[in-house]
Amino acid sequence: MTERAGACTEDAFLGGQLRLRQLKSGHRAGHDAMLLAAATPARSGDRVVDFGAGVGAAGLAAARRVAGIDLVLVEIDAALAELARGNAAANGIAANVIVLDVESPAEAYAAAGLAPDSVDAVLMNPPFNDPARHRISPDKARGLAHVATSDTLQNWVHAARRILKSSGTLTLIWRADGIGDVLAALDRGFGSLAILPVHGDVRTPAIRVLVRATKGSRAPTQIHPALMLNDESGVPNKEVQEVLAGQRVLPLATL
């Protein structure tokens, strides 16, 4: 194991059903990854690809919920990919971990075993902080994980569209104030959008948006009732706690 990959903590997710080693510094998996996994529709036998998988949090959480998926974790950082392999093995989850830039051309994907029209579901938590509005971390890995370029979302959605089968689903989490960018990126080739705003509490604007889209569908967009992380008094929402404990899924996971 590399020196960098050795500077880790081991953390429990899904109420202890999933244990992940992750770096002490840099990007660390948290609520976003677990919400994304709980919003991803999948059935046993589906080929499911997690873009920008990091240490595997979202993809492995989805695999813990749905046994028998053919899971592929795509990660640009070799050290994080190494951790993802170890996490999959330690949790008894079969996963193919590929070191690949999500924005690579189709030929690179095909060489890695991800041919066009071959995947049932893609989930992704792309870098989404605007560099014009957020200070970029001096930690290179943390910067890669958090800060988007103007083309990041479009390029990641394009890559998902390319490998998804017709009627395959893309599920993503993004900044709520960037919903316009999400809708623009999904305008070509996707339909049947299901949108779930995520708020810190009932008094504040949404901070995240979860979106599920279907390749080739022309069905109309649906906006689901907002998910509140905390109630009026600041107490964690019971539904959210059950999702984070792996006891229930979000509405987007049901097609």
Side-chain angles (χ1 to χ4, degrees):
M1 180 172 288
T2 65
E3 179 181 352
R4 180 176 160 223
C8 295
T9 61
E10 182 173 301
D11 303 294
F13 294 85
L14 302 180
Q17 298 178 63
L18 186 68
R19 299 194 68 85
L20 301 175
R21 284 174 55 80
Q22 55 181 334
L23 298 175
K24 289 181 179 179
S25 61
H27 174 71
R28 290 175 59 80
H31 287 9
D32 283 4
M34 296 302 105
L35 293 176
L36 176 61
T40 300
R43 295 170 293 189
S44 181
D46 281 355
R47 194 174 199 205
V48 178
V49 178
D50 181 1
F51 276 178
V55 300
L60 294 174
R64 177 61 79 219
R65 187 186 95 231
V66 184
I69 64 172
D70 176 9
L71 179 63
V72 181
L73 305 175
V74 175
E75 172 54 45
I76 190 173
D77 187 313
L80 294 181
E82 183 180 358
L83 284 169
R85 287 191 192 94
N87 285 332
N91 285 279
I93 297 172
N96 179 19
V97 182
I98 298 172
V99 179
L100 182 70
D101 184 346
V102 172
E103 300 184 40
S104 295
E107 295 78 12
Y109 272 85
L114 292 172
D117 308 308
S118 66
V119 170
D120 298 287
V122 172
L123 63 154
M124 64 189 197
N125 179 9
F128 55 51
N129 285 336
D130 182 345
R133 299 167 57 193
H134 294 82
R135 183 176 64 85
I136 299 176
S137 171
D139 184 301
K140 183 178 178 182
R142 190 177 182 89
L144 280 173
H146 284 266
V147 179
T149 70
S150 60
D151 298 323
T152 297
L153 183 59
Q154 288 278 0
N155 291 342
W156 283 46
V157 169
H158 172 70
R161 182 172 55 243
R162 189 172 58 214
I163 64 171
L164 280 168
K165 300 174 181 176
S166 179
S167 299
T169 60
L170 167 61
T171 308
L172 63 90
I173 188 167
W174 193 256
R175 300 185 333 267
D177 64 3
I179 183 61
D181 297 327
V182 173
L183 296 178
L186 295 171
D187 186 58
R188 178 170 168 244
F190 287 97
S192 189
L193 273 59
I195 300 172
L196 177 63
V198 180
H199 297 246
D201 57 52
V202 296
R203 298 179 297 273
T204 56
I207 54 174
R208 297 284 185 271
V209 61
L210 285 153
V211 181
R212 186 201 70 220
T214 303
K215 181 178 175 178
S217 174
R218 296 189 177 185
T221 295
Q222 296 182 337
I223 301 178
H224 289 261
L227 181 70
M228 304 294 169
L229 299 181
N230 300 289
D231 66 17
E232 296 86 343
S233 58
V235 175
N237 182 303
K238 182 174 183 293
E239 176 187 358
V240 173
Q241 294 307 301
E242 290 175 351
V243 168
L244 297 177
Q247 297 170 356
R248 66 188 298 171
V249 297
L250 294 170
L252 273 58
T254 303
L255 289 171

